Amino acid sequence: KMNLYAVFPFISGLLFLSFGLFVYLKNPKSKLNIFYFLTCFSTTIWIISYSFMYASYNESKALFFARIGYSGVVFIPAFLYNFVITFLSLNRKKSIIYFIYLTSIFFLLANTTEHFMRGVYRYFWGFYPKVGSLYILFVIFFSAVFIRSTWFLLRRIREKDLRPIVRNQTKYVLLAFLMGMTSIVDYLPNYQIQIYPWAYISALGWIGLTGIAIFKYRLMDIRLVITRVSIFVAVYT
């Protein structure tokens, strides 16, 4: 029997991968495009792996996919942070950037142990990770980097001499990050609070709002030519 709770995240993951590749291939040498793609790619690993976890029929296989998913999740803070400071042209200390990457690597290694993930729960949508003592440190790390990145965007948009197009770019990237904050709901089932983890929808909101900044306000100088054929294909799909 098909698990619809697994199908929708899987489709979302494919959308993330497709859009990330599209942005990257438009300018593979741009750091901004690279970090955007890496964010989308690590998110894809998380969402698609979780869809397989939901569809699993035994605990060991579900735990395997949960660990694969978190091999992507642990790097999302690092890639998001680099995307923001590159977009805003901020000169941050390399020591801070190195610290964020090293912390991500630490959690990648911790992910293989029971101190980070010690099993799975069974909910109505499928299996979900049962976390260990180190997991709360990752939640704090992720939240701190995310809030710090959002603060950079908020501080920029409050500048009075911003060009209108840059203000609009920043506004939609900021809205995307605020949308991303709603993904905190996914942490609750880790602690046996049975709320459906819809963070992949928050992630789609993030990609949709950054997409407005990219296409409408030329965030990465990407122009999308829409033809009648492309409109027909989109509507048919």
Side-chain angles (χ1 to χ4, degrees):
K1 185 179 177 180
M2 182 180 293
N3 183 350
L4 290 178
Y5 294 110
V7 173
F8 295 130
F10 183 81
I11 294 172
S12 301
L14 293 181
L15 288 172
F16 252 89
L17 181 61
S18 301
F19 193 70
L21 277 172
F22 171 80
V23 170
Y24 170 72
L25 293 174
K26 282 293 181 180
N27 191 354
K29 294 182 179 179
S30 166
K31 286 186 178 181
L32 190 60
N33 294 49
I34 291 171
F35 286 125
Y36 190 89
F37 165 72
L38 289 173
T39 301
C40 289
F41 182 67
S42 54
T43 305
T44 298
I45 294 174
W46 155 51
I47 296 177
I48 289 184
S49 296
Y50 266 40
S51 72
F52 281 106
M53 177 180 65
Y54 298 160
S56 297
Y57 291 99
N58 61 72
E59 293 186 7
S60 60
K61 187 173 290 186
L63 182 59
F64 170 76
F65 284 119
R67 294 195 192 280
I68 294 296
Y70 257 86
S71 67
V73 174
V74 295
F75 286 103
I76 292 177
F79 296 146
L80 276 176
Y81 182 82
N82 275 275
F83 170 74
V84 170
I85 64 173
T86 302
F87 164 56
L88 299 176
S89 301
L90 298 176
N91 293 318
R92 300 290 98 181
K93 291 181 179 179
K94 288 187 177 181
S95 57
I96 296 176
I97 297 173
Y98 292 151
F99 172 77
I100 293 175
Y101 275 104
L102 287 173
T103 305
S104 293
I105 293 171
F106 167 77
F107 285 118
L108 177 66
L109 298 174
N111 182 39
T112 63
T113 72
E114 290 189 354
H115 298 293
F116 191 81
M117 199 175 295
R118 57 189 178 88
V120 289
Y121 296 111
R122 184 66 184 264
Y123 294 125
F124 67 85
W125 63 84
F127 290 106
Y128 206 78
K130 182 189 299 182
V131 296
S133 56
L134 286 177
Y135 187 80
I136 189 63
L137 297 179
F138 174 73
V139 175
I140 294 171
F141 165 67
F142 195 117
S143 301
V145 175
F146 205 92
I147 292 170
R148 183 65 172 167
S149 301
T150 305
W151 167 247
F152 289 152
L153 292 164
L154 184 61
R155 189 174 62 181
R156 173 59 57 87
I157 206 170
R158 294 173 66 183
E159 294 178 5
K160 295 181 180 180
D161 57 345
L162 265 186
R163 290 187 299 128
I165 191 168
V166 176
R167 184 176 299 279
N168 282 317
Q169 290 172 354
T170 309
K171 179 178 71 175
Y172 279 100
V173 174
L174 175 61
L175 288 173
F177 271 73
L178 294 176
M179 169 65 79
M181 285 184 179
T182 63
S183 64
I184 196 171
V185 70
D186 266 30
Y187 291 130
L188 300 179
N190 293 130
Y191 294 97
Q192 215 170 357
I193 300 173
Q194 193 167 177
I195 296 177
Y196 176 65
W198 44 266
Y200 70 91
I201 299 175
S202 303
L204 287 176
W206 183 87
I207 209 171
L209 288 164
T210 55
I212 294 174
I214 290 169
F215 295 132
K216 187 173 182 179
Y217 298 107
R218 297 175 60 188
L219 173 60
M220 301 178 197
D221 200 25
I222 295 175
R223 296 181 182 180
L224 183 64
V225 178
I226 301 178
T227 64
R228 290 184 179 181
V229 174
S230 61
I231 293 174
F232 171 78
V233 171
V235 171
Y236 182 79
T237 304

